[in-house]
Amino acid sequence: MLGSFGTSLNIEGIKNNMAKKTIIANWKNHPESLAQAQEILDFTNDYLDSLGDFRELSLVFCPPFVFMEEVAKILQMSHFEHEAFLGAQDIAAEDKTALTGEISGPMLKRLGVDYVIIGHSERRWKLGESDEVVNHKLKTAIENGLTPVVCIGEKVRDGGFGKFIEDQVLKTFKGLGPDQIKRCLIAYEPVWAISTNPGAKPDTPDSSLESVNIIRDVLIGNWKLEIRNLPRVLYGGSVSSKNAADFLNRKEFSGVLVGGASVNKEEFVKILEITSKIK
Ligand code: PGA
């Protein structure tokens, strides 16, 4: 069981399988107790069990740091073994500098973490994380052999949103080579669509693909990335069982990043059920 968990070979396999959809559960600072976290995982595990040999779904759980060790154990001991990976919500910008309160890349690796969310809008806009810090974290994640899930998204959908996205992409990926960029996942997450923001409503696939095209054009234009090497893109922002299929049915989206709905076990399993039916 341990063999299939935490090996870069396995992740590469998933990356190369374009049909496989990735669902990332960003638990943020929830749930309140380990018992509740276990309930979500047990419920999800029972659902995966019911799918039998189905392997077209890849799950990444990003719990708060306090639950990580326990979640890692659960992911190694159950039906999760083939389809679930451990992700972190953040990483210290430097491995060696003393940084009170931070968790370093080598610590994450030792816990069995494979993915790390970089530049989430709550960190950028609520906690004041600058593009420069996001860029450092991205480089540190790559140096530690983690797969970065790089969040990109405009704050408002106004006339300048294209320029905003272009600027954010340039600053976030600054100094990285094409080989490093192609190893990332990009989560397009318009800030105004994140469920906890006032007046939030999900984006639509057509409108979010306009932004995805801008992201791809910047990567092609500035890093000369070939189309086949472009990072896979996920959508995030108020994903629920009502709209998941709209995004998952589009070949441009390799999956979804789910926040609020990922700590509601019934709703999360509904999203997985929808994913399992995508052709
Ligand atoms: P949401 O969160 O699904 O609750 O909108 C997504 C995110 O913040 O990553």
Side-chain angles (χ1 to χ4, degrees):
M1 280 182 184
L2 279 168
S4 70
F5 184 74
T7 64
S8 54
L9 193 70
N10 204 17
I11 288 188
E12 281 310 315
I14 284 169
K15 278 189 177 162
N16 293 335
N17 183 348
M18 298 307 278
K20 197 160 189 159
K21 298 285 183 182
T22 299
I23 309 298
I24 302 186
N26 176 15
W27 285 1
K28 309 191 183 189
N29 44 336
H30 306 288
E32 278 182 16
S33 68
L34 179 60
Q36 287 169 308
Q38 281 167 333
E39 246 178 66
I40 297 168
L41 293 170
D42 284 348
F43 196 77
T44 309
N45 187 40
D46 288 347
Y47 170 69
L48 293 177
D49 187 19
S50 75
L51 286 180
D53 278 345
F54 183 79
R55 294 280 179 270
E56 296 308 311
L57 173 67
S58 174
L59 278 168
V60 181
F61 287 98
C62 304
F65 286 121
V66 283
F67 302 146
M68 212 160 233
E69 203 158 354
E70 286 306 315
V71 172
K73 283 185 203 151
I74 295 170
L75 296 188
Q76 290 167 20
M77 286 189 317
S78 54
H79 294 283
F80 287 123
E81 65 169 320
H82 296 296
E83 41 256 316
F85 296 85
L86 189 60
Q89 297 174 19
D90 191 23
I91 183 173
E94 311 274 348
D95 287 343
K96 301 210 168 67
T97 314
L99 292 168
T100 299
E102 295 289 282
I103 314 286
S104 73
M107 286 174 169
L108 296 178
K109 280 302 276 187
R110 271 194 294 277
L111 280 171
V113 169
D114 283 315
Y115 290 78
V116 57
I117 298 175
I118 301 285
H120 190 279
S121 60
E122 283 154 8
R123 300 206 60 84
R124 288 181 189 266
W125 306 115
K126 293 187 178 163
L127 299 168
E129 207 164 272
S130 66
D131 290 320
E132 200 185 355
V133 170
V134 171
N135 177 259
H136 271 288
K137 290 187 173 185
L138 176 53
K139 287 174 178 161
T140 302
I142 291 173
E143 277 158 23
N144 280 285
L146 298 162
T147 298
V149 180
V150 185
C151 298
I152 298 289
E154 76 280 5
K155 280 168 101 171
V156 282
R157 187 84 169 190
D158 58 9
F161 88 96
K163 179 80 194 74
F164 184 99
I165 290 176
E166 179 182 347
D167 195 52
Q168 196 176 59
V169 172
L170 289 173
K171 289 179 175 159
T172 299
F173 290 97
K174 189 174 170 191
L176 264 69
D179 283 351
Q180 293 171 313
I181 295 177
K182 77 176 191 200
R183 288 184 41 203
C184 299
L185 288 180
I186 291 181
Y188 170 61
E189 293 212 310
V191 182
W192 49 267
I194 306 267
S195 67
T196 46
N197 290 335
K201 57 174 175 33
D203 202 355
T204 61
D206 284 342
S207 133
S208 56
L209 282 172
E210 273 181 48
S211 306
V212 171
N213 284 335
I214 295 169
I215 297 170
R216 295 172 73 143
D217 284 349
V218 178
L219 294 176
I220 292 169
N222 287 272
W223 280 272
K224 311 287 172 250
L225 269 180
E226 292 175 43
I227 291 187
R228 67 186 163 91
N229 287 334
L230 283 168
R232 294 195 304 144
V233 180
L234 315 178
Y235 169 78
S238 297
V239 171
S240 69
S241 59
K242 291 195 182 72
N243 63 6
D246 301 341
F247 291 95
L248 292 166
N249 271 314
R250 306 294 284 258
K251 65 173 181 356
E252 294 89 345
F253 288 112
S254 298
V256 286
L257 198 165
V258 189
S262 71
V263 282
N264 173 336
K265 60 184 199 288
E266 287 87 6
E267 181 65 5
F268 188 59
V269 160
K270 266 192 213 162
I271 294 172
L272 300 188
E273 220 170 335
I274 287 163
T275 313
S276 75
K277 295 189 177 120
I278 301 291
K279 294 277 177 278

